[in-house]
Amino acid sequence: MQIEVLLPLIAYLLLVFGLSVYAYTRRQQGNFLTEYFLGNRSMGGFVLAMTLTATYISASSFIGGPGAAYKFGLGWVLLAMIQLPAVWLSLGVLGKKFAILARRYNAVTLNDMLFARYQSRLLVWLASLSLLVAFLGAMTVQFIGGARLLETAAGIPYDTGLLIFGISIALYTAFGGFRASVLNDAMQGLVMLLGTILLLFAVIHAAGGLHTAIDKLQQIDPKLVSVHGGDDVLSLPFMASFWILVCFGVIGLPHTAVRCISYKDSKAVHRGIVLGTIVVAVLMLGMHLAGALGRAVLPDLKIPDQVIPTLMITVLPPYAAGIFLAAPMAAIMSTINAQLLQSSATIVKDLYLGIKPDQLANERKLKRFSSWATFVLGLLVLLAAWRPPEMIIWLNLLAFGGLEAVFLWPLVLGLYWERANATGALSSMIVGAVCYTLLASIDLHIAGLHPIVPSLSLSLLAFYIGNKFGSPAGETALKPS
């Protein structure tokens, strides 16, 4: 166990808990659910940019993505950069309209928005079930990433690291709620930026310079410096599919969407788009390039996901490695707290209060139930992460794709198509979920495309056909009140 690496990390975790306590003391009076799950819709532009970025940048981006770049080479770095417009798309497509309607409906969750728009309790139950199943998978990936970091960089056994990491996140998220989540995201975004730049320069220096590093990659395998990547994995259909999966489809992710209803004003949106896009560009380029060039420094790693934590302890002094360890830890923690809160909101607001609406006035009970729901969910995910797979990026993409196949069209068409109705939305959700599950489970790639492409295409068609048979009850939902 490396004490020099652990000390800065412990200091970082204490800072996280301090921010959570601060957020708890800053809670505003009023509706508890709006405060706990949305922070009273008070985010400014900087915090909005950082929380969107930190939520989007996860264990997959800091552990799985660089691991894939290590395995497949510089072509994967180019592929990663197609995620650049993710924040711009999310805030541009959802942005103002989504927030205005959320305030009108007093919506706390994405499912609140779907119910207000489509007036279907069945749709809310289906959406809630899909969200919980997918988030359990996505959060499991983050827990695995955190435990692997502690195992590789600090010498802590995987199981012990998983317990430390999982219980810490479950506690601070349950205690502080959304306000703690976004304050920590702002700090974690800055930590990620600093850590990414520091590691990239250290890797290039350790490899003997950029030119030397690329020469070494070419000697290992010429395909590592090809746009098609090692094993020729980066075909045009795969790259197009990847863009839909990790960029365009992000619009339909519930934990991204909920941040688009919690900002303060239109000035915050504009600032969030610019800052968020810059931060995503630096993080994506820096981490994936470090992973790819890391092959020149560490050519014989057996598990690609270990490249970033191994590079930390190889190319950085111990204390610097400890400081940098906080960067991927920040990415993982910020994604988990967003998903934990969204899952907890689904259980409390969409399911529990859907069955027992009379409990809405019992604020004391809701506070207790919300905190316990968040904490228990965290423990369940911890158990699910006990036996991890070798490369977590595929599990993460599986969960993301499932969410997008279910939510993307009901959300986007619900906002922009006045005639969209519940039958169309339900048809889209069912077809998207079934199609994606089947194609992903048998690993079928039609014409080389990722399962998300045919799934979204068929769910869009299902929406159109189903819409022909449904009632146009939601037609006035988008008109100004």
Side-chain angles (χ1 to χ4, degrees):
M1 194 174 294
Q2 302 183 40
I3 300 301
E4 298 95 337
V5 175
L6 273 178
L7 285 177
L9 181 62
I10 292 169
Y12 171 74
L13 289 175
L14 289 174
L15 183 58
V16 165
F17 278 106
L19 277 176
S20 299
V21 172
Y22 173 75
Y24 183 82
T25 62
R26 295 274 297 179
R27 280 187 184 174
Q28 299 176 10
Q29 297 299 314
N31 187 295
F32 164 74
L33 293 175
T34 304
E35 169 59 35
Y36 186 79
F37 292 119
L38 291 180
N40 263 355
R41 310 181 203 272
S42 58
M43 279 195 294
F46 173 77
V47 175
L48 175 62
M50 286 303 183
T51 190
L52 265 174
T53 304
T55 301
Y56 178 65
I57 304 287
S58 64
S60 182
S61 305
F62 263 77
I63 305 295
Y70 177 90
K71 184 175 182 179
F72 301 120
L74 294 175
W76 196 276
V77 180
L78 179 65
L79 179 71
M81 294 310 294
I82 64 177
Q83 302 173 67
L84 190 62
V87 171
W88 175 77
L89 276 172
S90 298
L91 288 174
V93 174
L94 300 179
K96 295 180 183 178
K97 192 164 192 173
F98 198 55
I100 290 168
L101 291 173
R103 283 166 169 79
R104 185 199 304 175
Y105 302 144
N106 196 27
V108 173
T109 67
L110 175 60
N111 288 337
D112 281 346
M113 292 286 288
L114 292 175
F115 181 72
R117 178 65 180 87
Y118 296 112
Q119 297 296 307
S120 169
R121 187 56 62 185
L122 175 61
L123 185 146
V124 169
W125 278 85
L126 178 62
S128 300
L129 180 63
S130 302
L131 185 147
L132 289 173
V133 169
F135 269 1
L136 280 173
M139 287 188 289
T140 299
V141 169
Q142 311 307 319
F143 273 51
I144 292 168
R148 276 191 177 155
L149 268 178
L150 293 175
E151 178 187 33
T152 309
I156 297 174
Y158 178 85
D159 293 349
T160 306
L162 186 61
L163 283 172
I164 294 170
F165 183 73
I167 292 173
S168 298
I169 289 182
L171 277 174
Y172 98 74
T173 308
F175 182 70
F178 186 87
R179 195 176 291 275
S181 174
V182 297
L183 280 175
N184 276 304
D185 285 352
M187 177 191 70
Q188 288 159 348
L190 293 173
V191 170
M192 284 188 278
L193 278 172
L194 178 63
T196 297
I197 294 167
L198 176 66
L199 181 69
L200 179 59
F201 278 104
V203 169
I204 292 172
H205 180 265
L210 186 59
H211 184 73
T212 305
I214 292 174
D215 283 346
K216 287 180 180 177
L217 291 182
Q218 195 155 18
Q219 290 168 18
I220 295 168
D221 181 356
K223 290 183 178 179
L224 292 176
V225 296
S226 160
V227 293
H228 298 295
D231 301 332
D232 289 324
V233 70
L234 302 178
S235 63
L236 189 59
F238 180 86
M239 295 177 75
S241 303
F242 195 81
W243 182 81
I244 292 172
L245 181 64
V246 300
C247 190
F248 173 71
V250 170
I251 300 167
L253 293 177
H255 53 297
T256 300
V258 78
R259 272 150 171 73
C260 296
I261 64 176
S262 50
Y263 60 81
K264 186 166 51 179
D265 51 33
S266 58
K267 186 178 179 181
V269 178
H270 300 145
R271 187 172 295 170
I273 288 174
V274 175
L275 288 175
T277 302
I278 292 171
V279 173
V280 167
V282 174
L283 293 177
M284 283 297 167
L285 178 62
M287 288 311 304
H288 288 82
L289 190 55
L293 297 179
R295 185 93 176 246
V297 181
L298 306 165
D300 301 314
L301 280 182
K302 301 297 182 199
I303 301 176
D305 281 351
Q306 290 183 345
V307 62
I308 292 301
T310 308
L311 281 171
M312 282 192 297
I313 58 177
T314 304
V315 304
L316 295 172
Y319 280 108
I323 294 169
F324 177 76
L325 182 58
M329 196 66 77
I332 294 165
M333 291 173 77
S334 57
T335 302
I336 291 178
N337 63 42
Q339 294 171 347
L340 259 183
L341 275 176
Q342 192 66 20
S343 301
S344 176
T346 296
I347 291 171
V348 176
K349 184 70 169 60
D350 303 324
L351 300 179
Y352 177 70
L353 290 177
I355 299 170
K356 295 186 174 182
D358 55 300
Q359 294 297 315
L360 186 59
N362 193 340
E363 187 168 302
R364 185 177 176 184
K365 188 173 181 179
L366 281 179
K367 285 181 180 178
R368 190 166 60 247
F369 186 51
S370 299
S371 295
W372 274 107
T374 305
F375 184 67
V376 170
L377 275 170
L379 294 183
L380 288 175
V381 176
L382 188 151
L383 291 174
W386 211 258
R387 292 291 172 263
E390 183 181 301
M391 286 188 71
I392 61 175
I393 188 170
W394 308 122
L395 179 58
N396 196 51
L397 293 178
L398 183 68
F400 266 42
L403 286 169
E404 292 168 8
V406 170
F407 285 100
L408 181 63
W409 298 126
L411 177 57
V412 173
L413 295 179
L415 276 177
Y416 291 99
W417 189 20
E418 287 190 0
R419 295 178 60 191
N421 60 43
T423 307
L426 273 168
S427 302
S428 175
M429 292 173 103
I430 294 169
V431 169
V434 171
C435 181
Y436 188 78
T437 302
L438 287 175
L439 292 176
S441 61
I442 62 176
D443 199 25
L444 178 61
H445 297 262
I446 301 170
L449 295 168
H450 187 277
I452 192 63
V453 179
S455 298
L456 285 178
S457 301
L458 289 174
S459 65
L460 179 60
L461 179 63
F463 199 121
Y464 178 77
I465 295 172
N467 214 69
K468 297 287 186 181
F469 298 95
S471 164
E475 195 167 319
T476 60
L478 302 181
K479 294 180 181 176
S481 54

